[in-house]
C-alpha cells in the first residue's frame, strides 16, 4: 500500500481547509507550496472547492531554482522585488482572500551562499511585502501554515541517507502531531483549541506586570505592556471567520514591552533561518535591546538578521509551550520553526502581532511603539524551553506566581 494513502491526504487537506484557513463560501484561496507538495496540493484544491471556494490559485516554489537565483543573479536584481509579485498577493488580501502556506523546508538550501546576499535579498522582500504582511499580522484575513515532507528535509530530521524511509517516517510524525491519525481530526482540533483557550483566558485575566524566566539556558525578565492580550489556538479574522494560523500549535503567546527585556538566553534547539542553520547561540538583552550575541554555528547569518532594521534587535513575542507537548515528546529536531517552536517555550525577535494588545490592530506603528509593541520587517522565533524551565508571572504588587514549572503548566486548569 502506498504511503501516505489518498484517504490520509484527504483528511489532512480537509483539516487545512476547514480548520486551518476555514475557507468561506465564495472566498478566494491562494496556496503557496513547493513542487514536492504537488499531490497534497491537489487534495487541498479539491477540498477547497468542495467547501465553496472560488478562484483557487497556487503559487509554486522550486528550491533548485531558488538556489540558482541566489548563486547567479546580480545583487541589484535580488534587491528588486517586481511590482507584479507584490500586487498579486496584496490584491488577493485586499479582496478578502484566504492564504494557505505549505512549508517543506530544506534546512541546508542556502548553505555556502554569501550570507550578505541572502540578508539583503530577504530585507528587500520583507520591506516590499510590508503592506501585505499587515493583513496577516493583524488577522484581517484567514491564513494558515502546514507542512509536508520532502526527501531532503526528512533525511536531515532522521540523519539518514534512506530518503524513502525518512519521508514515510516524517509523514507518520506529521500525521500524529497534527492529529490526522485520529478518527475525526477536526473534532480533535476543536478540543485542543479549547484547552489553549482556557490557559489564554486565565493569563488574560491575570494581566501580569512581567515574566521571569529561570533555567540552565535562560535568566530573563520580560515586561508586559498594559492591556496585553494572550492568544493561542484559533484566531478570528475581521470577517468573523475563525481559523488556525499554525498547524500544529501548542502555544499561548503575547507581545512583550520591547523596552523592558533584560538578561541572557541560550537556544535549546537549532534555528533554520532562510535556508541556513543557526545554533549554539547566546543573546544578552539590556533595556530590551540585544547588546551582545555569539553563536557556534551561523553567527554571520544571525548578525545579518539582527541588522535587518532597528526593531530586529528587540523582542516581539513571548510564547509558552509545555515540555510535554507531542512535538517535544517525539525527541526530534525538525529544523522547521513551525514544528520546533511548538516543542518549546520560545521568543521572537522583531515584529509583534498588534492583536496582542487591546485594539492594537487599529493603532499605527507609532502608537504601538509608544505602548511598547515592537515593529520590524522580521519576525523570527527561537526556542528557549527545556525540562528545567520555570516561568513566573509577577503581578503589579510584586507577587510571583509560577506559570510554567519544570517545563510544565503550573496554573490551575
Amino acid at each position: 500500500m502506498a504511503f501516505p494513502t489518498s484517504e490520509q491526504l484527504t483528511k489532512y487537506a480537509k483539516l487545512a481547509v476547514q480548520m486551518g484557513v476555514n475557507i468561506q463560501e465564495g472566498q478566494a484561496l491562494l496556496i503557496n507550496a513547493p513542487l514536492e507538495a504537488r499531490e497534497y496540493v491537489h487534495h487541498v484544491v479539491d477540498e477547497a472547492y468542495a467547501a465553496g471556494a472560488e478562484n483557487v490559485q497556487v503559487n509554486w516554489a522550486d528550491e533548485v531554482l531558488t538556489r540558482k537565483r541566489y548563486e547567479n543573479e546580480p545583487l541589484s536584481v535580488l534587491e528588486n522585488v517586481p511590482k507584479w509579485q507584490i500586487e498579486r498577493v496584496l490584491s488577493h488580501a485586499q479582496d478578502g482572500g484566504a492564504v494557505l502556506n505549505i512549508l517543506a523546508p530544506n534546512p541546508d538550501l542556502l548553505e555556502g551562499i554569501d550570507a550578505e546576499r541572502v540578508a539583503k535579498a530577504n530585507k528587500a522582500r520583507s520591506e516590499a511585502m510590508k503592506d501585505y504582511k499587515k493583513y496577516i499580522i493583524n488577522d484581517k484575513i484567514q491564513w494558515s501554515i502546514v507542512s509536508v515532507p520532502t526527501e531532503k528535509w526528512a533525511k536531515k530530521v532522521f540523519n539518514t541517507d534512506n530518503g524513502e524511509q525518512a519521508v514515510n517516517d516524517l509523514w507518520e510524525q506529521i500525521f500524529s502531531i497534527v492529529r490526522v491519525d485520529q478518527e475525526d481530526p477536526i473534532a480533535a482540533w476543536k478540543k485542543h483549541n479549547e484547552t489553549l483557550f482556557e490557559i489564554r483566558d486565565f493569563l488574560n485575566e491575570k494581566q501580569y506586570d512581567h515574566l521571569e524566566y529561570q533555567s540552565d539556558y535562560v535568566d530573563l525578565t520580560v515586561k508586559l505592556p498594559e492591556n496585553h492580550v494572550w492568544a493561542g489556538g484559533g484566531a478570528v479574522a475581521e470577517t468573523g471567520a475563525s481559523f488556525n494560523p499554525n498547524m500544529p500549535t501548542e502555544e499561548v503567546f503575547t507581545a512583550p514591552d520591547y523596552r523592558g527585556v533584560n538578561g541572557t538566553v541560550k537556544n535549546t534547539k537549532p534555528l533554520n533561518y532562510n535556508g541556513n542553520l543557526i545554533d549554539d547561540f547566546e543573546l544578552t538583552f539590556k533595556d530590551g535591546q540585544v547588546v551582545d550575541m555569539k553563536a557556534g554555528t551561523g553567527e554571520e547569518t544571525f548578525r545579518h538578521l539582527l541588522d535587518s532594521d532597528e526593531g530586529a534587535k528587540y523582542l516581539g513575542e513571548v510564547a509558552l509551550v509545555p515540555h510535554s507537548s507531542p512535538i517535544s515528546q517525539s525527541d526530534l529536531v525538525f529544523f522547521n520553526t513551525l514544528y520546533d517552536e511548538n516543542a518549546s517555550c520560545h521568543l521572537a525577535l522583531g515584529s509583534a502581532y498588534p492583536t496582542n494588545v487591546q485594539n492594537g490592530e487599529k493603532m499605527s506603528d507609532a502608537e504601538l511603539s509608544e505602548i511598547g509593541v515592537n515593529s520590524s520587517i522580521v519576525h523570527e522565533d527561537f526556542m528557549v524551553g527545556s525540562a528545567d524551565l520555570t516561568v513566573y508571572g509577577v503581578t503589579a504588587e510584586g507577587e510571583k506566581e509560577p506559570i510554567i514549572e519544570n517545563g510544565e503548566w503550573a496554573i490551575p486548569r
Side-chain angles (χ1 to χ4, degrees):
M1 179 184 295
F3 187 83
T5 66
S6 179
E7 181 183 0
Q8 288 170 316
L9 291 176
T10 296
K11 287 177 71 175
Y12 192 22
K14 185 174 293 187
L15 182 67
V17 169
Q18 295 188 13
M19 284 297 294
V21 294
N22 187 16
I23 202 72
Q24 302 295 293
E25 185 80 28
Q27 188 176 26
L29 175 63
L30 176 63
I31 303 169
N32 297 304
L35 291 176
E36 293 90 338
R38 180 171 173 268
E39 184 178 6
Y40 175 62
V41 169
H42 291 172
H43 285 77
V44 170
V45 171
D46 286 341
E47 292 302 321
Y49 283 130
E54 297 178 1
N55 190 21
V56 178
Q57 300 288 327
V58 182
N59 180 31
W60 296 104
D62 183 333
E63 67 176 28
V64 174
L65 296 183
T66 298
R67 183 173 177 93
K68 289 182 183 296
R69 178 174 169 80
Y70 277 104
E71 288 175 332
N72 295 286
E73 290 285 11
L75 184 57
S76 60
V77 173
L78 291 176
E79 291 183 297
N80 180 28
V81 181
K83 289 184 179 179
W84 67 265
Q85 291 185 5
I86 303 168
E87 290 170 355
R88 180 186 186 189
V89 295
L90 182 58
S91 63
H92 175 81
Q94 289 170 336
D95 291 340
V99 178
L100 177 64
N101 296 306
I102 301 173
L103 298 184
N106 173 2
D108 301 318
L109 176 61
L110 300 183
E111 184 178 10
I113 301 293
D114 179 50
E116 185 175 5
R117 283 171 60 82
V118 176
K120 288 184 175 180
N122 288 335
K123 182 176 181 179
R125 187 162 191 81
S126 295
E127 290 175 340
M129 294 293 179
K130 191 171 183 178
D131 288 342
Y132 164 69
K133 288 183 177 178
K134 287 182 179 180
Y135 282 83
I136 302 298
I137 65 174
N138 287 292
D139 291 342
K140 291 179 177 293
I141 58 174
Q142 304 112 272
W143 58 278
S144 189
I145 307 173
V146 299
S147 281
V148 299
T150 61
E151 184 172 321
K152 289 181 179 178
W153 177 29
K155 287 165 71 173
K156 181 78 173 181
V157 171
F158 293 103
N159 191 26
T160 180
D161 292 327
N162 187 336
E164 181 178 358
Q165 184 62 51
V167 168
N168 286 346
D169 289 345
L170 190 50
W171 270 119
E172 286 194 12
Q173 288 290 334
I174 288 175
F175 285 155
S176 174
I177 289 168
V178 300
R179 300 172 174 81
V180 170
D181 63 346
Q182 299 190 29
E183 183 176 347
D184 188 343
I186 292 176
W189 264 89
K190 289 179 178 179
K191 182 178 180 180
H192 176 57
N193 281 346
E194 287 299 324
T195 299
L196 295 176
F197 292 159
E198 289 178 12
I199 298 168
R200 173 201 69 184
D201 293 346
F202 174 87
L203 293 173
N204 280 329
E205 186 175 342
K206 280 290 185 179
Q207 284 293 298
Y208 288 115
D209 177 77
H210 65 273
L211 305 176
E212 292 183 6
Y213 289 70
Q214 295 177 7
S215 77
D216 289 341
Y217 300 90
V218 188
D219 182 9
L220 195 69
T221 299
V222 178
K223 183 83 169 81
L224 298 177
E226 188 175 353
N227 297 320
H228 60 273
V229 175
W230 288 90
V236 179
E238 279 191 353
T239 60
S242 60
F243 67 101
N244 274 85
N246 290 349
M247 304 187 85
T249 185
E250 303 288 338
E251 65 178 327
V252 293
F253 63 96
T254 193
D257 184 328
Y258 74 91
R259 304 158 298 190
V261 181
N262 290 279
T264 59
V265 298
K266 297 178 182 178
N267 69 303
T268 54
K269 288 182 179 291
L271 169 61
N272 176 25
Y273 179 62
N274 291 324
N276 283 288
L277 285 180
I278 306 171
D279 200 5
D280 299 321
F281 59 86
E282 180 176 341
L283 301 175
T284 301
F285 291 88
K286 183 177 181 181
D287 297 330
Q289 187 177 33
V290 175
V291 294
D292 190 38
M293 185 276 287
K294 56 186 178 182
T297 301
E299 184 169 305
E300 184 181 3
T301 297
F302 207 166
R303 292 196 184 280
H304 284 301
L305 166 61
L306 292 171
D307 289 338
S308 296
D309 61 12
E310 186 60 26
K313 299 179 179 67
Y314 295 83
L315 290 185
E317 180 185 322
V318 292
L320 304 178
V321 179
H323 189 65
S324 60
S325 80
I327 304 170
S328 177
Q329 293 305 301
S330 73
D331 289 327
L332 293 172
V333 175
F334 285 89
F335 304 100
N336 176 345
T337 301
L338 175 63
Y339 278 73
D340 288 331
E341 73 170 5
N342 285 297
S344 168
C345 289
H346 54 276
L347 307 168
L349 291 163
S351 184
Y353 290 99
T355 50
N356 280 141
V357 291
Q358 288 182 21
N359 299 315
E361 66 276 10
K362 300 176 183 177
M363 298 181 186
S364 66
D365 286 348
E367 290 171 326
L368 289 167
S369 180
E370 187 174 344
I371 62 174
V373 179
N374 195 28
S375 177
S376 173
I377 61 173
V378 301
H379 177 97
E380 200 61 39
D381 299 285
F382 62 97
M383 285 55 78
V384 300
S386 59
D388 68 332
L389 175 65
T390 295
V391 180
Y392 294 101
V394 184
T395 67
E397 295 75 31
E399 185 178 353
K400 185 184 293 189
E401 302 171 345
I403 303 172
I404 296 279
E405 194 166 30
N406 293 322
E408 301 301 325
W409 293 119
I411 62 179
R413 287 193 287 154

